[in-house]
Amino acid sequence: MHGGSCCEGEVKKAPTISVVGSLNVDLTFRVPRFPVPGETLTASQAMTAFGGKGANQAVAAARAGARVRMIGCLGNDEYGERYREHLAGEGIDHAGVLAGAGPTGAAFITVDGEGENTIVVHPGANHELTVAKMSELTDLFTESAVALLQLECPLDAVAGAAEVAKDAGATVILNPSPWDPESMERNIPIDILIVNEREAEALPLGSEMGCMPQGCEAVIVTRGARSTWVITEGRTQEVEPPVVTPVDTVGAGDTFAGVFALAHAEGLGLLDAVRLANAAAALATLRPGAQEAMPARGEIEEMLSRGVRQ
């Protein structure tokens, strides 16, 4: 045994993350390649699963060890009821998931033989998350270390959530996907942006990747199998992800965002947080599906410790 500390033996409390975002039912079809206009393909597999960028990121953070509060809107239908049961099973607080008048949101996904994907989303009840409804949920940001946001819900509600979270003392992390240029024109209080390479091209980062969006401390640029960029004022650093052979990339970006949010909430530095998130995202590509493929903390740390190539 180690000697001496008065705090020895204490269990460190898991940080709380409030996730504001979408909850969808994913309908996924595996195809040999993506169809061209006017073409009909036969899928080798069809799956129905729980998804939505917000809920995906919430599940990723919860499995990695966070206490998660989910804020969003489900339909008052069978899918909505089943989704609430699913969130509870993942240990996610869903008191902030409201019941809308429309159907639960849906995503239609095709996955090709290389593991790449295309996605069409019908927002359904997700678009019923309004500023007025957000104002009734301010207590859900109390004592949250991080608020994690995306753009599958109305931009006004996302902006309102960021302001409430900032006032509550939380770090605001925005994953502006699907991309909406207006999100960068609004005066949204953002501490950290997580974008993919295509989204990064639309950001005002400057030719040397050193001019940050106003008020933003860091921009994280995920680049698939290539190194992840960590951009701070005047400096760009790179973090290499583990080398894997992906089966399915659906949900990998959401896994990254959720685990990064947890790592940041735990006090890891930017580079270490990205390393943990990279490992989680790589693991998520090794199994089909989005939430179904998201790893537990032990799996993530094992990959980091072994430097696994799969």
Side-chain angles (χ1 to χ4, degrees):
M1 293 181 65
H2 299 288
S5 171
C6 65
C7 298
E8 199 168 303
E10 290 185 5
V11 177
K12 187 176 180 181
K13 185 178 179 181
T16 299
I17 297 173
S18 294
V19 180
V20 180
S22 58
L23 304 101
N24 293 328
V25 174
D26 289 348
L27 308 174
T28 302
F29 300 90
R30 298 197 70 90
V31 292
R33 55 180 173 76
F34 299 130
V36 299
E39 181 182 20
T40 299
L41 290 179
T42 299
S44 61
Q45 186 178 17
M47 298 175 288
T48 302
F50 297 111
K53 294 191 70 64
N56 286 350
Q57 294 178 15
V59 169
R63 290 190 186 167
R67 299 174 64 216
V68 178
R69 296 168 175 163
M70 183 71 214
I71 301 167
C73 199
L74 286 165
N76 189 18
D77 52 23
E78 181 183 354
Y79 279 133
E81 183 178 342
R82 288 169 54 191
Y83 215 137
R84 291 176 192 279
E85 295 172 356
H86 170 65
L87 292 173
E90 293 286 346
I92 295 171
D93 180 347
H94 58 91
V97 178
L98 308 176
T104 294
F108 302 88
I109 304 167
T110 55
V111 180
D112 72 5
E114 302 299 317
E116 295 298 325
N117 67 82
T118 63
I119 305 174
V120 177
V121 175
H122 178 256
N126 290 305
H127 273 198
E128 297 182 48
L129 187 65
T130 62
V131 175
K133 288 180 179 177
M134 280 302 312
S135 67
E136 300 171 2
L137 302 172
T138 56
D139 60 317
L140 294 178
F141 294 94
T142 303
E143 299 182 354
S144 290
V146 168
L148 180 57
L149 319 171
Q150 322 79 33
L151 297 181
E152 285 187 337
C153 293
L155 183 56
D156 285 345
V158 173
E163 292 170 1
V164 170
K166 196 71 172 176
D167 288 344
T171 295
V172 177
I173 299 177
L174 175 65
N175 173 216
S177 180
W179 176 253
D180 181 349
E182 188 181 345
S183 65
M184 296 297 104
E185 298 167 5
R186 300 277 292 268
N187 189 26
I188 301 175
I190 303 165
D191 295 300
I192 298 174
L193 277 175
I194 299 176
V195 295
N196 61 31
E197 197 167 11
R198 182 174 299 177
E199 292 158 353
E201 293 173 357
L203 292 175
L205 296 174
S207 59
E208 298 301 319
M209 303 299 280
C211 180
M212 303 292 291
Q214 184 175 1
C216 191
E217 299 171 7
V219 176
I220 312 299
V221 184
T222 60
R223 303 167 66 230
R226 295 184 293 164
S227 61
T228 302
W229 290 338
V230 180
I231 306 168
T232 52
E233 193 67 52
R235 188 179 188 188
T236 299
Q237 300 176 83
E238 299 187 37
V239 179
E240 294 291 337
V243 177
V244 297
T245 302
V247 171
D248 182 346
T249 59
V250 173
D254 292 334
T255 302
F256 180 98
V259 174
F260 176 87
L262 167 67
H264 187 277
E266 289 180 337
L268 271 67
L270 285 174
L271 297 184
D272 284 339
V274 168
R275 289 188 185 98
L276 194 75
N278 272 345
L283 283 166
T285 70
L286 300 180
R287 296 189 287 263
Q291 294 181 21
E292 302 89 337
M294 291 175 174
R297 183 61 171 264
E299 296 176 88
I300 302 168
E301 292 180 344
E302 181 181 1
M303 170 169 270
L304 276 177
S305 66
R306 289 165 45 191
V308 177
R309 299 174 64 94
Q310 299 198 21

